[in-house]
Amino acid sequence: MNNIDRSLDMAANIKGAFAVAVVDFDSGMTLGSRGGSPEFDLDVAAPGNSEVVRTKLEVMQKLGLRESIEDILITLDSQYHLIRIIRGTDEQLFFYLVLNRAQANLAMARRDLRVIEQQFAMTSPQAAPQAGQAFYPAQQR
C-alpha cells in the first residue's frame, strides 16, 4: 500500500468523513480518493478547490504575507469542507476532506488530518525542505 492510499484510508476513518482526496493544486488532478457519491463527484470538486488554494496563495503573496496556509475551512449547511496543504514534500498537494456536519467534530477532524499530513510528509520519498525553511508555494510558480 503506498503513502497516498494509506493516508486516504486513515482520513476516511475520521468521524463524519464523507469523502477525502489527495489533490495536486498546481494541476487540479486528484491523485487518489475515498468516498463521495454520484451527487458529489470528487473529480469535479478537486479542481475547483485547487483554484481556491491557488487564489489564496496569490493573494497572500500580493499582501506580502510570509506565512503558510495551515488549512482552509468552508462551511455549508450540512457539510464541512476542509483543505489541508501537505507541507514537507516537493509536490504541491493538499488533502480535501468533506465531513458530515451533524456527525463530525471539527476540532478533532482538524487535529486528525494534521497528524495524517505530518505522517504523509515524513514517509514521502521526496526531499523535505530544510529545517526552518518556510513553504511558500505561490512563489515557486
Side-chain angles (χ1 to χ4, degrees):
M1 178 178 288
N2 72 31
N3 199 19
I4 291 175
D5 288 332
R6 184 173 36 257
S7 297
L8 288 169
D9 289 344
M10 291 169 59
N13 285 317
I14 292 174
K15 184 177 180 185
F18 171 72
V20 62
V22 173
V23 183
D24 179 317
F25 62 82
D26 192 41
S27 68
M29 183 186 334
T30 302
L31 304 179
S33 65
R34 301 285 186 275
S37 70
E39 296 81 31
F40 189 86
D41 187 347
L42 279 169
D43 291 329
V44 173
N49 284 292
S50 294
E51 285 292 323
V52 170
V53 172
R54 287 194 304 267
T55 300
K56 184 58 185 172
L57 289 169
E58 290 169 10
V59 169
M60 289 172 59
Q61 184 177 21
K62 289 176 184 176
L63 292 173
L65 299 176
R66 306 266 314 151
E67 299 189 42
S68 57
I69 295 172
E70 186 173 327
D71 54 34
I72 298 170
L73 172 64
I74 300 167
T75 58
L76 304 177
D77 293 337
S78 64
Q79 299 174 348
Y80 293 123
H81 291 224
L82 187 57
I83 297 168
R84 176 131 192 130
I85 304 290
I86 300 173
R87 296 181 281 189
T89 69
D90 289 339
E91 298 181 69
Q92 296 180 327
L93 305 176
F94 67 89
F95 284 108
Y96 175 48
L97 177 63
V98 180
L99 299 161
N100 178 315
R101 194 168 174 162
Q103 298 171 347
N105 178 322
L106 182 58
M108 292 300 293
R110 288 184 67 215
R111 182 192 64 91
D112 292 347
L113 196 57
R114 182 187 71 228
V115 169
I116 294 166
E117 177 245 333
Q118 291 168 343
Q119 290 174 351
F120 183 94
M122 287 190 317
T123 58
S124 177
Q126 293 85 23
Q130 300 288 337
Q133 183 181 21
F135 177 68
Y136 306 108
Q139 296 172 350
Q140 295 176 357
R141 292 166 50 90

